[in-house]
Amino acid sequence: MQSPEVPKTKRIVLIAHDNKKEDLVEWVQLHKDTLSKHHLYATGTTGKIVHERTDLPVHRFLSGPLGGDQQIGAKIVDGEIDVVIFFWDPLTAQPHDPDVKALLRIAVLYNIPIANNRRSADYLISSDLLASSYKKTTIDYSTGLPIY
């Protein structure tokens, strides 16, 4: 059973498609102090680049096309991810588009805040809720009612 509360120290996933990796790394560098207070996770290549360029510890899953997106989705279902920062490229078809769509769907289904570009990531990281505990709700889709 998932905890009803999101802890102060968040478990944040960082994902970026190839054409967006540099943008994500620059964003992480800008917010390094804040991100250093949380647990960071990433798909394989993104995690490697973020760690090399920022020296932040990053738990890496497989590369997205090799199953990393699905691994992250499973962690969301298990209640082990609190925030997703996913800089995706809307103009380039990805060989693993079904996995990307499944990850986005599962994040929404489990009420996980997700930022898909720099501006929404800025809003998320600057929220007072990022540094505090938060009562989590999800929806019971069989009844349409919130679960606290």
Side-chain angles (χ1 to χ4, degrees), residues 35-136:
L35 290 168
S36 70
K37 298 173 183 145
H38 300 280
H39 301 290
L40 301 180
Y41 300 82
T43 48
T45 307
T46 300
K48 179 176 187 261
I49 294 169
V50 166
H51 173 69
E52 287 173 351
R53 302 266 301 275
T54 67
D55 207 32
L56 289 169
V58 180
H59 172 86
R60 292 185 347 196
F61 295 102
L62 294 173
S63 174
L66 298 178
D69 298 329
Q70 292 178 341
Q71 288 177 305
I72 291 167
K75 291 292 185 185
I76 289 171
V77 170
D78 289 341
E80 297 176 24
I81 298 297
D82 303 309
V83 175
V84 175
I85 307 294
F86 185 174
F87 286 17
W88 62 281
D89 181 354
L91 299 178
T92 305
Q94 302 294 321
H96 62 297
D97 271 340
D99 298 336
V100 171
K101 184 176 180 184
L103 174 60
L104 295 172
R105 178 186 167 279
I106 213 76
V108 170
L109 186 66
Y110 282 85
N111 205 21
I112 301 298
I114 183 165
N116 293 125
N117 55 42
R118 197 170 185 138
R119 191 172 186 182
S120 60
D122 285 343
Y123 286 171
L124 251 177
I125 198 133
S126 64
S127 170
D128 291 339
L129 296 174
L130 190 71
S132 62
S133 60
Y134 180 81
K135 187 169 180 159
K136 182 180 356 182

Side-chain angles (χ1 to χ4, degrees), residues 4-24:
E5 192 166 84
V6 177
K8 284 183 179 184
T9 303
K10 305 297 186 283
R11 296 156 300 183
I12 301 172
V13 169
L14 305 170
I15 309 168
H17 285 154
D18 288 345
N19 292 343
K20 297 295 183 175
K21 287 190 191 323
E22 188 60 34
D23 193 24
L24 179 68

